[in-house]
Amino acid sequence: MIFNLSLFREYIANYMKTKLTYRADFWVEVFSDLMFSATNLIFIFVVFQHTPALGDWSEAEVVFVYGYFMIPYGIFSTFTNLWNFSERYIAKGEMDRILTRPAGSLTQVMLENVDPPSLIGSLIGLCIMGASWSQLGLAFHWYDPLVLIVMTLGSVLVYMGLYTALATISFYTDAPTGIAPLMYNIQNYGRYPIQIYNKGIRFLLTWLLPFAFVGVYPASFFLERHRDLVMAWLTPVMGVIFWAIGLWIWRRGVKRYRGAGS
């Protein structure tokens, strides 16, 4: 753990040196994250211009869920950026370099792709939650910040487990992109209340690809009208389970790797 923390410090230092050299790139990333958040929020507002509610969810409640969704997503994107794993590490052969070093292979891949500007999304999500919290008149308890931290960690682990397993598919195929775009589209269903979907989609998003645990279920702990304590507290449990599954699949995939080239 101490060794990994020292690596993290070195990688962050190198990242900051690079961004101080090319400062425009950093601000472009920040602006892109802001536009991403604003676009999705505007979409929710547009939807509620045409309907008073989604199921029995009000506009403020849906915005609250979206605000929560952004918090773990921003943290995940910062520390587990595996979008280009197949192209960079498999197709271009950089996995060979990773495996010659003493640190864990997954740790190195994550640290090499750290993206601090993505944390802006988490901060925006926290602000959205705060504004919706006030609008909904929700009670604030001393334990709410602690619960939010636990729920967020659980949601981040769900993300990490699923996308680590997804990246591992690259060890078995030469496809440069894989199914990452499909998974990204599916995860977006987690922004909205799962109750508005049919039973098949609810089952998929709860037990197979549990993106409901990165949005509506943990957020429901704080919502008085839609509180579901059982599913909310399953969030950290599902996070640990899927992170363990992701690590197990990754280790098996690394053993299958035979190097770059034909």
Side-chain angles (χ1 to χ4, degrees):
M1 178 63 70
I2 295 176
F3 178 63
N4 288 337
L5 289 175
S6 65
L7 283 178
F8 176 74
R9 184 179 64 250
E10 294 298 327
Y11 273 104
I12 288 295
N14 289 332
Y15 175 89
M16 295 307 299
K17 290 176 183 177
T18 301
K19 293 306 178 183
L20 287 174
T21 303
Y22 303 99
R23 298 181 184 182
D25 291 346
F26 175 82
W27 291 112
V28 167
E29 290 183 47
V30 171
F31 180 75
S32 297
D33 288 335
L34 291 173
M35 291 301 296
F36 172 81
S37 303
T39 300
N40 291 315
L41 192 58
I42 291 172
F43 174 77
I44 295 175
F45 292 145
V46 170
V47 168
F48 277 94
Q49 291 295 317
H50 300 277
T51 181
L54 287 177
D56 60 343
W57 290 73
S58 67
E59 179 182 78
E61 290 168 335
V62 173
V63 170
F64 184 92
V65 172
Y66 174 66
Y68 174 86
F69 169 87
M70 291 182 62
I71 297 175
Y73 178 72
I75 297 173
F76 158 75
S77 299
T78 298
F79 299 104
T80 319
N81 192 342
L82 299 173
W83 302 112
N84 65 341
F85 174 79
S86 179
E87 180 180 0
R88 176 177 175 181
Y89 291 94
I90 304 300
K92 295 183 178 179
E94 291 196 28
M95 196 66 192
D96 292 357
R97 169 178 57 80
I98 293 294
L99 294 176
T100 60
R101 295 175 174 178
S105 57
L106 183 57
T107 299
Q108 292 183 70
V109 171
M110 289 182 178
L111 290 177
E112 286 188 354
N113 294 279
V114 67
D115 185 30
S118 295
L119 282 176
I120 297 295
S122 296
L123 295 176
I124 295 174
L126 193 60
C127 293
I128 292 174
M129 275 191 69
S132 300
W133 197 304
S134 177
Q135 184 177 354
L136 291 167
L138 301 175
F140 183 83
H141 307 94
W142 64 268
Y143 52 78
D144 285 337
L146 298 177
V147 172
L148 179 60
I149 292 173
V150 172
M151 296 298 178
T152 299
L153 288 175
S155 297
V156 171
L157 288 176
V158 169
Y159 271 126
M160 292 174 66
L162 288 174
Y163 278 95
T164 298
L166 178 64
T168 307
I169 295 175
S170 302
F171 292 120
Y172 300 88
T173 177
D174 296 328
T177 57
I179 62 173
L182 173 62
M183 187 70 75
Y184 177 79
N185 289 328
I186 294 176
Q187 85 172 23
N188 289 334
Y189 285 90
R191 300 175 186 170
Y192 308 107
I194 195 171
Q195 293 81 1
I196 68 175
Y197 306 125
N198 61 43
K199 292 182 179 179
I201 294 179
R202 290 202 300 268
F203 181 81
L204 173 69
L205 295 177
T206 300
W207 306 116
L208 301 181
L209 299 174
F211 288 117
F213 290 98
V214 303
V216 63
Y217 285 146
S220 72
F221 178 90
F222 308 100
L223 293 171
E224 296 173 355
R225 283 205 318 129
H226 300 282
R227 181 167 295 164
D228 189 339
L229 293 180
V230 174
M231 300 307 288
W233 283 115
L234 268 179
T235 299
V237 176
M238 294 292 286
V240 171
I241 291 173
F242 274 83
W243 176 231
I245 292 173
L247 283 178
W248 180 77
I249 295 175
W250 174 272
R251 288 166 181 163
R252 290 184 63 87
V254 169
K255 291 179 181 179
R256 183 182 177 87
Y257 181 69
R258 295 293 180 267
S262 59

